[in-house]
Amino acid sequence: MAPARWPWLDRYDAGVPASLAPYPDRTILDYLSDHARTRPSEPALLFKGASISWSQLERESDAFASALAELGVTRGDRVGLLLPNCPQFLIAELGAWKLGAIVAPMNPTYTEQELEGPLRENGIDTIVTLTRFYGLVRRLRTRTPIKRVIASNIKEYFPPLLRLLFTLVRETRDGDRVDLAVDDFAFATLLRAHAGRRVERRRLTPDDPAVLLMSGGTTGTPKGVLGRHAAYVLTGLQVQAWTASALGTGVSVLMLPLPLFHVYANVGVQALAIVTGNPMALVPNPRDLDDLLSTLKRVKPAFVTGIPTLFVGILNHPAVQKGTVDFKSVKICFSGAAPLLAETKRRFESMTGGRIVEGYSLTEAMMALCVNPVEGPNKLGSVGMPLPDVAVRIYDADAGTTEMPAGEVGEICFSGAQLMTGFWNRPEETSLVLRDHIDGEGSRRWLHTGDLGYLDADGYLFILDRKKDLIKTSGFQVWPREIEEALATHPAVAEVGVAGVPDETKGEAIHAWVVLRPGHTAREEELRGLCRSRLAPYKVPRKITFRDSLPKTMVGKILRRALQDEHRA
């Protein structure tokens, strides 16, 4: 990646190399087998007080691969995973990979209508799901390619006492106790029937397809993003090098509240855990903050991944406010998937003593990642710098052909060996975002993200906003994030979203939606005054609406478009 060209290399923490090339000719499955052989009894997964060892994970994924093979799943088939963070997800995913199948994780909160398109368009004919979603999947069978349904009860990997309590109190109430149709399969039954069996498999290469992750993409419509096995190993090794000063090998618990259907968790955290042999503590529902904090107390993680809304929720939790939660084990927190407001970072670090480093990537980048240094300076408002063997450039936002100098705003573009192969069966849309640019060292492929930002002279990346979220008011261009940053400095503000709404005279007017912290008050004019003290007059919101909550995606991104739709309605 021509290290001498990139200014950020001089800002790397001590010990972080400019390049990790050449990368090993391996997949995640090779690392799993290593751990099962060399540390068989050590924990790979921690879940609700139970522990799954590396050897158990290897055996059960072998058994699941054998079961899939007997059911007719072959190399290249797509296996859907409609599961929260739980051991079943990892067992099914690894088992499918052992056959050379492609896994397609999906959002368990999707409605029937939202699931139908991805199932049909991606040709998913096998799906692994929880029993609580079984009825939904059955209704979709007649309208999608689904041939095989494998259902698992969430309690199957609970420790014995919790399993008993769940059976008595919650199983029926939560919809987990179901009777499967005769042509469907129980996950646990398949594992028992195939225990001790292994499939004879052709060796996977880093270039083989591994995963179809759903993304709205830079063009806005949901689509499958095809990633290779190489993405996992490259990302795992890159993040390992970046965090080596804070995390050990095999001894640091990585707590994962982010959903495994999202690239941040699926490629980023999962790869780091399996490459390093560190156990993952799975949190099935990040919105259950009581359970999340209970897990934190129990597993004492060194590494916590989250999103800004999760860190805000932790800060506002009564136990944290009272100082009864011990964060001493936490060495580093990664924040991604949505912009981390400077005030959230300041409050979290001052209250907990832990450090949050903000990062940035996209599903299409397959965790070609920018992130702030673990030890070095974290510049306020920056998402950091590229990891080893990842590069970032800013191209002009109109044609996307002219490289912009430091400090100039344009479209953020990524280059790295782990970029997606493309959108599933959408070559025209793929060509819009994956483009080859020629420079002094030849041709290199770049992902055009659709995000606007700039690189400073040190190579730190600053994101302003999505091109589509840019507000044009009275002839001025305004980025919502700078207004959100200003409002978030008010001590009463917990969350804020800003968007443009139609206006007859200005074209668009700036509207802010604010959630206040419990026990705090603020007036609209007070917040507008705060904006006037920090921003140019044309950036001050015309209207501020107070709400109890803001609409968000499953991973916590505030849905500005939903706020705009509500306003128009």
Side-chain angles (χ1 to χ4, degrees):
M1 293 296 293
R5 296 194 55 209
W6 313 122
W8 52 79
L9 296 177
D10 293 333
R11 303 295 183 270
Y12 275 12
D13 285 342
V16 177
S19 174
L20 299 172
Y23 286 87
D25 183 23
R26 312 190 86 204
T27 72
I28 286 295
L29 295 177
D30 297 315
Y31 289 91
L32 171 63
S33 295
D34 287 349
H35 301 323
R37 184 180 64 257
T38 61
R39 52 180 74 177
S41 60
E42 293 182 17
L45 305 176
L46 304 173
F47 182 65
K48 306 292 271 186
S51 176
I52 292 88
S53 69
W54 289 108
S55 59
Q56 181 182 355
L57 187 58
E58 174 87 316
R59 289 194 308 273
E60 296 201 5
S61 57
D62 278 341
F64 193 70
S66 174
L68 289 178
E70 187 173 274
L71 294 176
V73 176
T74 61
R75 195 178 190 92
D77 286 352
R78 275 76 69 201
V79 176
L81 306 177
L82 191 65
L83 298 163
N85 290 3
C86 57
Q88 294 94 314
F89 189 108
L90 278 294
I91 292 165
E93 175 190 60
L94 294 165
W97 282 343
K98 288 177 177 181
L99 283 182
I102 301 169
V103 297
M106 290 173 288
N107 188 338
T109 68
Y110 270 3
T111 64
E112 185 174 333
Q113 183 178 0
E114 289 171 317
L115 283 170
E116 182 177 346
L119 288 169
R120 187 174 56 249
E121 292 172 18
N122 296 329
I124 296 170
D125 58 9
T126 303
I127 188 165
V128 186
T129 187
L130 286 188
T131 49
R132 66 181 59 176
F133 310 130
Y134 177 67
L136 170 65
V137 172
R138 286 292 300 184
R139 292 194 298 273
L140 286 164
R141 284 192 74 158
T142 58
R143 308 196 302 275
T144 64
I146 293 175
K147 300 176 184 175
R148 313 169 191 91
V149 178
I150 302 169
S152 176
N153 194 311
I154 188 65
K155 72 178 183 180
E156 288 168 13
Y157 287 87
F158 284 179
L161 180 58
L162 180 60
R163 188 184 310 170
L164 175 62
L165 291 173
F166 182 84
T167 302
L168 295 174
V169 178
R170 294 187 56 177
E171 186 175 23
T172 300
R173 186 191 72 189
D174 292 353
D176 293 283
R177 184 176 295 170
V178 300
D179 294 320
L180 301 185
V182 294
D183 55 344
D184 293 330
F185 306 92
F187 187 85
T189 302
L190 289 177
L191 291 187
R192 285 194 297 271
H194 291 263
R197 299 189 196 176
R198 297 186 64 185
V199 293
E200 182 179 350
R201 62 180 194 259
R202 288 166 46 197
R203 184 180 177 278
L204 289 174
T205 73
D207 283 332
D208 285 325
V211 68
L212 268 172
L213 294 170
M214 294 307 300
S215 170
T218 57
T219 54
T221 55
K223 55 186 72 70
V225 173
L226 183 63
R228 299 173 299 130
H229 281 279
Y232 292 85
V233 173
L234 267 66
T235 298
L237 292 172
Q238 289 166 0
V239 179
Q240 178 188 25
W242 199 257
T243 58
S245 62
L247 301 179
T249 300
V251 296
S252 300
V253 175
L254 314 182
M255 193 168 92
L256 184 58
L258 294 179
L260 278 161
F261 66 77
H262 191 271
V263 67
Y264 185 5
N266 187 275
V267 180
V269 183
Q270 180 182 205
L272 175 64
I274 297 180
V275 164
T276 62
N278 285 315
M280 270 192 298
L282 303 175
V283 178
N285 180 8
R287 296 179 180 178
D288 185 348
L289 289 177
D290 290 338
D291 179 59
L292 186 149
L293 291 174
S294 175
T295 301
L296 189 146
K297 291 178 182 178
R298 182 172 59 246
V299 305
K300 295 180 172 52
F303 181 79
V304 178
T305 55
I307 54 174
T309 51
L310 179 66
F311 293 118
V312 169
I314 290 172
L315 284 170
N316 293 330
H317 192 277
V320 176
Q321 293 279 332
K322 292 175 184 176
T324 59
V325 180
D326 183 1
F327 290 91
K328 289 180 182 176
S329 68
V330 178
K331 297 178 181 177
I332 196 73
C333 300
F334 269 27
S335 177
L340 176 69
L341 299 182
E343 185 63 15
T344 301
K345 176 178 170 66
R346 185 197 65 78
R347 287 182 58 214
F348 186 89
E349 292 181 343
S350 64
M351 181 173 287
T352 66
R355 189 175 196 187
I356 302 180
V357 295
E358 185 176 6
Y360 163 72
S361 188
L362 294 87
T363 306
E364 293 84 352
M366 284 289 158
M367 292 306 288
L369 178 66
C370 278
V371 67
N372 272 284
V374 171
E375 295 183 337
N378 283 209
K379 293 191 179 183
L380 198 63
S382 171
V383 294
M385 60 191 68
L387 294 184
D389 302 312
V390 176
V392 170
R393 274 186 186 160
I394 308 298
Y395 282 98
D396 70 283
D398 296 322
T401 56
T402 302
E403 186 178 356
M404 307 299 287
E408 293 290 325
V409 175
E411 184 179 14
I412 300 166
C413 297
F414 273 107
S415 183
Q418 62 260 61
L419 296 183
M420 70 170 180
T421 301
F423 297 123
W424 184 259
N425 289 336
R426 295 178 186 236
E428 291 183 2
E429 292 193 42
T430 298
S431 66
L432 291 176
V433 298
L434 286 180
R435 307 183 208 171
D436 293 332
H437 292 285
I438 299 174
D439 56 28
E441 286 126 20
S443 179
R444 183 182 290 120
R445 177 148 294 186
W446 293 86
L447 171 70
H448 285 248
T449 68
D451 288 337
L452 296 173
Y454 65 92
L455 288 166
D456 72 5
D458 294 328
Y460 282 76
L461 177 64
F462 292 79
I463 300 174
L464 296 177
D465 256 306
R466 295 286 294 174
K467 282 164 55 171
K468 65 186 179 185
D469 288 335
L470 185 68
I471 302 169
K472 296 182 178 180
T473 179
S474 300
F476 294 102
Q477 293 186 339
V478 179
W479 289 278
R481 183 173 177 177
E482 58 183 329
I483 305 168
E484 293 168 350
E485 290 275 10
L487 287 168
T489 62
H490 193 285
V493 173
E495 294 182 310
V496 57
V498 171
V501 298
D503 183 86
E504 290 184 2
T505 57
K506 295 183 176 183
E508 283 187 302
I510 299 169
H511 195 121
W513 292 264
V514 168
V515 177
L516 296 178
R517 294 172 59 192
H520 290 69
T521 60
R523 294 176 294 106
E524 179 178 1
E525 190 51 41
E526 179 184 354
L527 296 181
R528 282 169 46 83
L530 174 65
C531 290
R532 279 193 293 269
S533 71
R534 294 171 174 262
L535 302 168
Y538 65 87
K539 297 178 182 178
V540 176
R542 184 183 67 177
K543 176 69 177 174
I544 296 176
T545 300
F546 294 97
R547 297 169 55 106
D548 293 330
S549 63
L550 297 176
K552 301 182 185 77
T553 67
M554 178 66 179
V555 295
K557 292 183 181 180
I558 293 172
L559 290 168
R560 291 172 178 155
R561 189 174 298 174
L563 292 168
Q564 291 171 309
D565 291 343
E566 288 180 21
H567 176 86
R568 280 190 281 267

